[in-house]
Amino acid sequence: MSPHPSPTSPLPSFQDGSIDAMLGHAARATLPYKRANRDEGHATAFWFNELIPSEGAAGEGAATDGEVVRRYLVTAAEPTRVDLAEITLRPELCDPAPSAARLVMTGFADGWTPLPGLGVAVLPASVLHTYADRKGWSWRTDEITDGVAARAEDLAGIGTDPVRAYVLGHDTGEGGEREQAVVVGVLVRAGDGSIRWGGELPQGCVGAPVFTSVILKKNQFKLVCAGVALPADGRSPGHHPVATFDRIRTALNPDAHPEPAGGGSTRRWWRRRAR
């Protein structure tokens, strides 16, 4: 296939280009989950990695041993408040594919750290890596990277005029199969300065990453993950608030990180050296 369109081929639309970029970067970043043994609490979590200075950092942002990557699962806090949860194991995320199609986690709520005031919770990725190691397989996922997670300047252009946006989540489907879906909608800024998803979300997509594209110049854009889709609150405009990544970053500051809900130490966060 030619890497360039022929003179008679239409250029991909801005929306198509944004969706292609999103799926190319994050198709394997999402995990569907729900309350175990009940048809309720359907939500989506996603993998995120954050670059931070190493513990031996010296000077302004300099790191003697390079940067450190912290890996989390991120989702809306409300659906995590259950003791027993069921995660759907997407075969393409596991190597080799596990025999079980579901991962049932006890003490689910205790593993998550809620980020105060945001409606977001994070789980150390080590929990799922430990599970996979014990079962004899490993995760093969995409991650929302620090470079794609939006900063305040990426979101500054969102105002009262709707901006096209996309949620990458897992609908419940007619048979509860939790297939991945791209939901097309808009983002708008409310009078209080918060950013909101302007429309409905299919059941199961709460907690999913919300993407938008920032136009750089003619025919060029960059894709950013604006934040996390939160449960509907009935306010207007839009039913669903979005917890934006500029605020999530602040809450994840190592110097101000809250203790995990179960009372553990922040040393539980799984780290690896950046390559």
Side-chain angles (χ1 to χ4, degrees):
M1 180 180 294
S2 171
H4 302 288
S6 69
T8 58
S9 299
L11 290 171
S13 69
F14 182 70
Q15 177 172 302
D16 289 345
S18 297
I19 292 174
D20 287 346
M22 177 181 62
L23 293 176
H25 180 86
R28 297 189 304 166
T30 59
L31 284 177
Y33 70 97
K34 71 178 187 70
R35 187 170 184 174
N37 304 319
R38 298 192 187 183
D39 189 26
E40 63 185 42
H42 301 86
T44 298
F46 61 94
W47 300 77
F48 167 64
N49 74 51
E50 178 192 28
L51 289 175
I52 61 170
S54 71
E55 293 179 355
E60 293 188 14
T64 57
D65 297 320
E67 292 177 311
V68 170
V69 178
R70 295 198 304 184
R71 302 178 73 190
Y72 318 90
L73 250 65
V74 181
T75 190
E78 184 176 310
T80 68
R81 296 168 185 158
V82 297
D83 181 62
L84 191 65
E86 177 183 290
I87 296 175
T88 300
L89 294 176
R90 299 166 56 196
E92 64 269 26
L93 272 58
C94 311
D95 183 26
S99 56
R102 302 284 188 272
L103 186 169
V104 177
M105 294 182 65
T106 60
F108 190 67
D110 291 340
W112 292 85
T113 299
L115 303 183
L118 294 185
V120 170
V122 293
L123 175 76
S126 56
V127 173
L128 295 188
H129 284 285
T130 298
Y131 174 86
D133 290 344
R134 191 167 65 245
K135 296 296 183 178
W137 51 271
S138 59
W139 292 97
R140 293 290 181 265
T141 64
D142 296 328
E143 299 169 356
I144 306 301
T145 62
D146 194 68
V148 171
R151 288 170 165 77
E153 56 267 27
D154 297 320
L155 305 174
I158 299 176
T160 55
D161 293 332
V163 174
R164 181 67 67 198
Y166 316 90
V167 166
L168 186 63
H170 290 267
D171 193 357
T172 54
E174 294 182 1
E177 60 274 9
R178 304 304 305 273
E179 294 292 333
Q180 189 180 68
V182 175
V183 185
V184 181
V186 297
L187 292 178
V188 293
R189 192 177 295 274
D192 62 1
S194 65
I195 291 177
R196 305 180 66 82
W197 174 262
E200 300 288 345
L201 275 182
Q203 185 183 26
C205 290
V206 163
V210 182
F211 293 86
T212 190
S213 293
V214 178
I215 297 177
L216 302 176
K217 55 185 178 180
K218 187 177 180 180
N219 295 328
Q220 292 187 16
F221 68 92
K222 71 172 181 177
L223 181 77
V224 297
C225 182
V228 181
L230 300 181
D233 61 6
R235 292 175 52 196
S236 183
H239 299 286
H240 294 267
V242 175
T244 54
F245 256 113
D246 55 333
R247 298 182 66 202
I248 292 172
R249 272 197 182 87
T250 299
L252 289 176
N253 185 311
D255 296 328
H257 201 288
E259 290 293 317
S265 166
T266 54
R267 287 194 297 267
R268 292 175 58 205
W269 297 96
W270 184 74
R271 298 183 174 197
R272 63 178 172 82
R273 293 289 175 189
R275 295 180 180 272

